[in-house]
Amino acid sequence: MTKSVVVIGAGLGGLSTALRLSYKGYKVTIVEKQSTPGGRLNILKQDGFTFDIGPSFFSMGYEFKELFESIGEPIPFELNELDPLYTVNIAGSDRVFKIYKDLAKLAEEFRGLEEDFEAKAKKYLLGAKEIFHDTEYRIIKKNFNSILHFLASMATVPVKHLPKMFRTFWEELERHFDSEEVKIIFSLVAFFLGATPFNTPSVYNLLNYTELQHDGYWNVKGGMYKIVEGILGLLEKKGVEIKLNTEIVRVEEVNGAMKSAVSATGERFDADLFVVNADAAWFRGKFLNRSKYTPEKLDKLEWTLAPFTIYLGVKGKIDGIQHHNYFLGNNFRAYADTIFRSSVAPEKPYYYVNVASKSNPECAPEGCENLFILCPVPDLRVKPDWSDADKLVNEILEDLGQRVGYDIKNNILTKVVYTPNEWEKMFNLYRGSGLGLAHGLNQIGAFRPSNKDEKLKNLYYVGASTTPGTGLPIVVIGSKLITERIENEHSAV
Ligand SMILES: Cc1cc2nc3c(=O)[nH]c(=O)nc-3n(C[C@H](O)[C@H](O)[C@H](O)COP(=O)(O)OP(=O)(O)OC[C@H]3O[C@@H](n4cnc5c(N)ncnc54)[C@H](O)[C@@H]3O)c2cc1C
C-alpha cells in the first residue's frame, strides 16, 4: 500500500520535501497554521502594493534547478541574476559601494582604499573556494547518523583548512585586506549565520566565494513568492492536499512511532510517516517533551538575530536607491559587539532595504515604490518588549530619507511593521529568531538537531534549525537529504 506522509508546516522546507516525496509516489498531506503557504517566504498585499515579507534574494540558485530536475519538471519560475549583487552605504562616506562579481569592476569601487584589490581578492577567494568545495559533499550535503560519523567525515576535510577553525572571520579578512570598508563589506554575510565576524570561524569565508564567484545572488521575476506559487502548482498536479489555518498542538505516539498530529480544533492527522517543518529544536521540546530541548536549554543555545521589518508603499520614485541596499553606521565593531546582547533597540540602526519595484514594477502602483526594510535586532530573550517599535521605525525612516535624499516619511501610502513578537507568533519562530539556530561549529552537522527523530522511527525534520541549516538553498538541500533518508528507511509502497 502507498505510504502516507503528513508534513507539518508549509515553509520552503515542507513544500520542497512534499514535492520530492509526492513525485516518488508517497501520498502527502501538508498542514499549515497560517492562512497562506510559504512560511517565512511569504507575501503581503496591501493598498495596491505587494511585498515579499522575508527572503528577497538567495545564493546557490542551482539548488532550485536541482529540485525541479530531480522530479523531471521544468523550473516553474524565472530566476534573475543580480548585477550588481547589492550596494552598501556607510555613514560618513560619500561613496555608495556597488558590489560586483566582476573583480575588475569591484576593484574600481575600492579605488584609493585598497591597493592591488583585484590580486588580493583573487587570493582570498581562492582559499574560500577550496574550503567550499572541500566541505560541500563531506559536511553540507550529507546525512549523519552519529557524532562519530560526523567527526569521521570532518576528518576527511584536508588538514590545510585546520587553522581556519581557530581564526575568526574578521582575522581571515585582516590577513588579506587593509581597508576597513572592504573588511566590513566582506564580513556582512557572517551576520546571517547568527554571529558577528569577530566570533564566527574563518571557514565561513566560503560564503563570500558562493556570493562573489561561484554562483552569485539571484531573485525571481515577479517576486520571491513565485517560488511558492510554482511549487503549489506542481503539488496540486500530484494531488497533495494542503490544510491551511491548521495548527498542530499535540502529537500521539504508539510503540515507538508517531501515530497522529492533532490540530488546535481537535482534527487528527494519521499517517505512516511525519515530516516536521516547524523549528526542529522547538518542536522536540514543546510537543515531544524532550529534556534536551526545555525552554531553559533552548535559551542557552545560539540563535540568529530577530528581524524587525517594515513594509512601505511610497508615493514617487526614489532615484537614490537601488534594488538591494545595506545602510551601515560608522561604528561597525562596537555595533557588532552589542547587537546580540542589547536589551534596547539599536540607536543608530544598521539595516537592509529592498526596493522590489525597481525591477518588478507590478509590485507597486505606477509612480510608486515598495520598500522592504529589515533591521536585525536582538531576539526576545534579550529584548522581549517591543512597545517602543515606533521609535525604531522613525529613526530608520529619518536616516533613510536623509541618505537617499527623498522625503519618505511624508510620502507613505501604506505601512506595516512586524517586530520579533509578530515573527514569533506567525511561524512559531523560537524567541523571534529570524533564521533559526545559529551555525557555530557546535551547532552544525551531528551537533545540530538531527533531521531524523532520536526516538520515533517514522518522524523526520526539515528546515532552518535542522541540518544542514538555514537560508533558502540550504533548506532545499535539507529536503533532498531527508527524502533520501525516508526512501532508504520506508519505501513509498
Ligand atoms: C526577514 C527575513 C529575511 C530573510 N531573508 C533571506 C534571504 O534574503 N535569503 C535567504 O536565503 N534566506 C532568507 N531568510 C531565511 C529564510 O527565510 C529561511 O531560512 C527559510 O525560509 C526557512 O524555511 P523553513 O521551511 O525552514 O521554515 P519556515 O518558513 O518558518 O516554515 C515553517 C512553517 O511551519 C509552520 N508551522 C510552525 N509550527 C506549526 C504547527 N505547530 N502546526 C502547523 N504549522 C506550523 C509555520 O507557520 C511555517 O509556515 C530570511 C528570513 C527572514 C525572517
Side-chain angles (χ1 to χ4, degrees):
M1 231 175 62
T2 308
K3 296 244 169 52
S4 56
V5 185
V6 164
V7 177
I8 301 171
L12 181 64
L15 292 173
S16 45
T17 307
L19 194 61
R20 294 186 197 267
L21 290 175
S22 61
Y23 272 75
K24 287 184 182 289
Y26 295 83
K27 184 178 175 341
V28 182
T29 304
I30 305 177
V31 283
E32 165 57 51
K33 82 187 270 283
Q34 282 294 322
S35 55
T36 50
R40 283 165 258 192
L41 179 57
N42 227 305
I43 193 168
L44 171 69
K45 290 187 180 206
Q46 187 160 295
D47 298 330
F49 292 85
T50 306
F51 303 93
D52 287 311
I53 70 160
S56 43
F57 61 102
F58 48 89
S59 59
M60 300 160 81
Y62 51 86
E63 295 301 340
F64 280 103
K65 294 180 190 151
E66 183 284 327
L67 170 65
F68 297 102
E69 265 164 32
S70 77
I71 58 165
E73 295 281 1
I75 188 160
F77 45 83
E78 209 177 304
L79 291 170
N80 172 37
E81 187 167 9
L82 305 187
D83 183 29
L85 299 167
Y86 51 89
T87 66
V88 182
N89 302 254
I90 301 179
S93 164
D94 51 8
R95 290 194 191 190
V96 175
F97 296 95
K98 288 200 173 95
I99 306 307
Y100 295 101
K101 273 175 83 182
D102 180 330
L103 291 183
K105 272 170 96 176
L106 187 54
E108 282 302 308
E109 297 292 310
F110 294 121
R111 181 189 280 274
L113 292 174
E114 183 75 56
E115 247 176 73
D116 292 333
F117 171 81
E118 199 175 341
K120 288 177 183 169
K122 276 187 183 150
K123 189 161 173 253
Y124 163 73
L125 289 170
L126 182 64
K129 174 182 179 174
E130 284 175 355
I131 190 140
F132 175 79
H133 290 292
D134 285 343
T135 52
E136 187 182 6
Y137 287 94
R138 292 177 174 98
I139 308 293
I140 304 164
K141 296 184 172 175
K142 190 163 179 171
N143 280 315
F144 297 104
N145 298 319
S146 64
I147 289 181
L148 213 62
H149 184 199
F150 174 62
L151 294 178
S153 214
M154 286 283 268
T156 66
V157 176
V159 71
K160 67 177 175 190
H161 299 306
L162 198 62
K164 293 204 169 87
M165 308 276 264
F166 303 105
R167 284 202 283 274
T168 66
F169 198 111
W170 186 264
E171 282 164 354
E172 184 68 21
L173 288 167
E174 279 185 322
R175 290 164 67 90
H176 293 273
F177 303 103
D178 300 311
S179 144
E180 203 64 5
E181 287 85 347
V182 174
K183 287 183 278 187
I184 289 174
I185 291 171
F186 280 7
S187 69
L188 290 176
V189 75
F191 290 95
F192 298 144
L193 300 164
T196 80
F198 305 103
N199 57 16
T200 299
S202 124
V203 287
Y204 286 114
N205 276 283
L206 63 85
L207 292 172
N208 276 326
Y209 163 69
T210 64
E211 163 189 316
L212 284 163
Q213 271 196 334
H214 187 38
D215 195 52
Y217 277 151
W218 301 80
N219 67 10
V220 176
K221 187 156 183 260
M224 297 288 284
Y225 201 68
K226 294 282 174 209
I227 299 176
V228 175
E229 289 171 351
I231 296 179
L232 290 179
L234 295 170
L235 289 175
E236 196 181 344
K237 201 165 123 180
K238 282 284 158 187
V240 173
E241 193 188 353
I242 307 189
K243 300 273 291 184
L244 297 170
N245 302 305
T246 306
E247 178 161 13
I248 298 304
V249 293
R250 188 159 62 81
V251 304
E252 289 178 0
E253 319 170 9
V254 172
N255 295 334
M258 183 161 157
K259 184 172 173 290
S260 316
V262 185
S263 79
T265 57
E267 199 175 350
R268 307 169 71 82
F269 297 88
D270 292 351
D272 297 310
L273 305 166
F274 292 85
V275 176
V276 169
N277 180 217
D279 187 280
W282 168 81
F283 190 93
R284 279 170 162 97
K286 178 96 180 159
F287 300 120
L288 304 174
N289 301 317
R290 299 286 162 76
S291 57
K292 205 175 153 192
Y293 297 102
T294 59
E296 297 70 38
K297 290 196 178 150
L298 288 178
D299 280 349
K300 289 208 175 96
L301 297 174
E302 303 287 337
W303 293 88
T304 50
L305 286 165
F308 182 97
T309 50
I310 310 169
Y311 308 88
L312 280 188
V314 175
K315 192 167 73 186
K317 287 289 179 192
I318 310 174
D319 293 331
I321 196 164
Q322 313 285 319
H323 190 138
H324 292 261
N325 316 265
Y326 290 91
F327 290 88
L328 314 179
N330 53 10
N331 58 343
F332 188 70
R333 176 91 203 211
Y335 196 82
D337 282 348
T338 51
I339 181 73
F340 282 86
R341 292 187 272 113
S342 173
S343 58
V344 293
E347 269 210 353
K348 290 207 178 321
Y350 286 37
Y351 54 93
Y352 162 80
V353 184
N354 181 277
V355 191
S357 48
K358 292 278 180 206
S359 39
N360 290 321
E362 63 277 22
C363 297
E366 214 182 316
C368 300
E369 305 274 32
N370 74 337
L371 268 61
F372 158 68
I373 303 172
L374 165 62
C375 178
V377 294
D379 68 49
L380 296 169
R381 286 174 302 181
V382 182
K383 178 167 167 45
D385 179 7
W386 280 95
S387 53
D388 56 354
D390 284 351
K391 189 168 166 276
L392 183 55
V393 173
N394 277 334
E395 190 128 8
I396 291 174
L397 297 189
E398 193 75 49
D399 184 63
L400 181 61
Q402 272 173 20
R403 290 211 209 179
V404 302
Y406 193 82
D407 183 1
I408 293 177
K409 275 173 107 175
N410 288 313
N411 283 292
I412 295 175
L413 297 176
T414 199
K415 180 172 96 180
V416 174
V417 177
Y418 293 156
T419 71
N421 285 312
E422 275 80 40
W423 281 99
E424 180 185 50
K425 275 193 222 108
M426 283 189 297
F427 306 115
N428 287 337
L429 302 185
Y430 191 70
R431 303 289 192 215
S433 161
L435 307 193
L437 278 176
H439 294 78
L441 295 179
N442 58 345
Q443 289 191 174
I444 58 164
F447 299 114
R448 205 168 177 80
S450 170
N451 58 7
K452 177 173 165 54
D453 194 62
E454 295 74 15
K455 293 189 178 156
L456 303 180
K457 56 187 177 236
N458 61 345
L459 174 57
Y460 299 87
Y461 301 84
V462 69
S465 286
T466 183
T467 53
T470 197
L472 300 181
I474 305 295
V475 163
V476 171
I477 295 173
S479 73
K480 182 165 192 263
L481 291 175
I482 199 59
T483 302
E484 278 167 19
R485 257 204 208 280
I486 290 176
E487 262 198 301
N488 285 339
E489 296 173 10
H490 309 269
S491 63
V493 282

